[in-house]
């Protein structure tokens, strides 16, 4: 069984990513948090799909770059992650990053959530950003 699946919603074009390299990276980041990689699914979509998922499953009425569904068991991370490439693109402009770098940040953001790192409470956003930056530096070494 393949541990990481890379899919689209059927209407969105698959981003140009090196999945083998990203899978090694994801495993390394998980290991750095004392976790192992179980089944993960990335579903790349557009803004209409992400807001549909957000409304249907979370009762949120706003766009977001990623929605992570957590199926972790013990130290094994597992989950489905919907990523809106539209929002990734608009966020990359807002934060003055390349689209490719912002997409990598979002890809690992979901993994960090599955490792138990949150970003909604006081001070948590800064902690998440610190872990994202460490993970991105690790990717530069892979």
């Amino acid at each position: 069984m393949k541990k990481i699946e890379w899919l689209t919603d059927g209407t969105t074009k698959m981003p140009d990513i090196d999945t083998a390299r990203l899978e090694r990276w994801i495993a390394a980041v998980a290991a750095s948090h004392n976790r192992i990689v179980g089944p993960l699914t990335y579903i790349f979509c557009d803004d209409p799909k992400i807001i549909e998922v957000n409304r249907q499953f979370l009762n949120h009425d706003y766009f977001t770059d990623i929605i992570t569904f957590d199926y972790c068991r013990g130290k094994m991370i597992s989950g489905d992650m919907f990523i809106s490439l539209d929002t990734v693109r608009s966020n990359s402009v807002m934060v003055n990053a390349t689209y490719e770098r912002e997409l990598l940040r979002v890809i690992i953001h979901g993994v960090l959530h599955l490792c138990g790192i949150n970003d909604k409470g006081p001070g948590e956003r800064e902690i998440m950003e610190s872990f994202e930056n460490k993970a991105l530096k690790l990717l530069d070494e892979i």
Side-chain angles (χ1 to χ4, degrees):
M1 177 179 103
K2 186 171 165 109
K3 286 192 176 184
I4 302 178
E5 289 188 281
W6 305 90
L7 309 172
T8 71
D9 62 356
T11 60
T12 302
K13 183 179 177 285
M14 180 66 75
D16 184 22
I17 53 176
D18 180 347
T19 58
R21 180 175 177 236
L22 294 184
E23 289 171 16
R24 290 190 304 273
W25 177 47
I26 290 166
V29 171
S32 75
H33 291 274
N34 198 27
R35 303 285 197 280
I36 58 169
V37 174
L40 298 175
T41 304
Y42 284 92
I43 304 106
F44 297 102
C45 63
D46 57 14
D47 274 351
K49 181 64 176 182
I50 203 86
I51 201 161
E52 174 189 323
V53 171
N54 218 358
R55 288 173 178 157
Q56 181 177 356
F57 294 100
L58 302 175
N59 293 319
H60 296 162
D61 193 24
Y62 54 82
F63 297 103
T64 187
D65 50 7
I66 186 168
I67 297 173
T68 303
F69 294 95
D70 184 338
Y71 313 130
C72 296
R73 301 186 88 176
K75 296 208 177 279
M76 182 189 73
I77 64 168
S78 178
D80 294 333
M81 291 164 278
F82 285 81
I83 295 178
S84 170
L85 298 179
D86 294 337
T87 300
V88 168
R89 188 167 305 283
S90 61
N91 285 352
S92 71
V93 172
M94 283 189 345
V95 300
N96 199 26
T98 66
Y99 167 75
E100 293 78 12
R101 197 67 168 179
E102 184 65 7
L103 178 57
L104 293 169
R105 186 194 63 75
V106 173
I107 286 170
I108 211 62
H109 182 92
V111 169
L112 292 169
H113 272 309
L114 296 175
C115 289
I117 299 161
N118 296 312
D119 60 357
K120 299 293 186 215
E124 291 179 339
R125 180 69 222 151
E126 294 79 9
I127 293 167
M128 175 63 86
E129 287 175 3
S130 172
F131 281 118
E132 290 169 352
N133 291 335
K134 286 179 191 172
L136 288 166
K137 283 182 184 172
L138 180 60
L139 177 61
D140 292 335
E141 300 167 8
I142 292 178

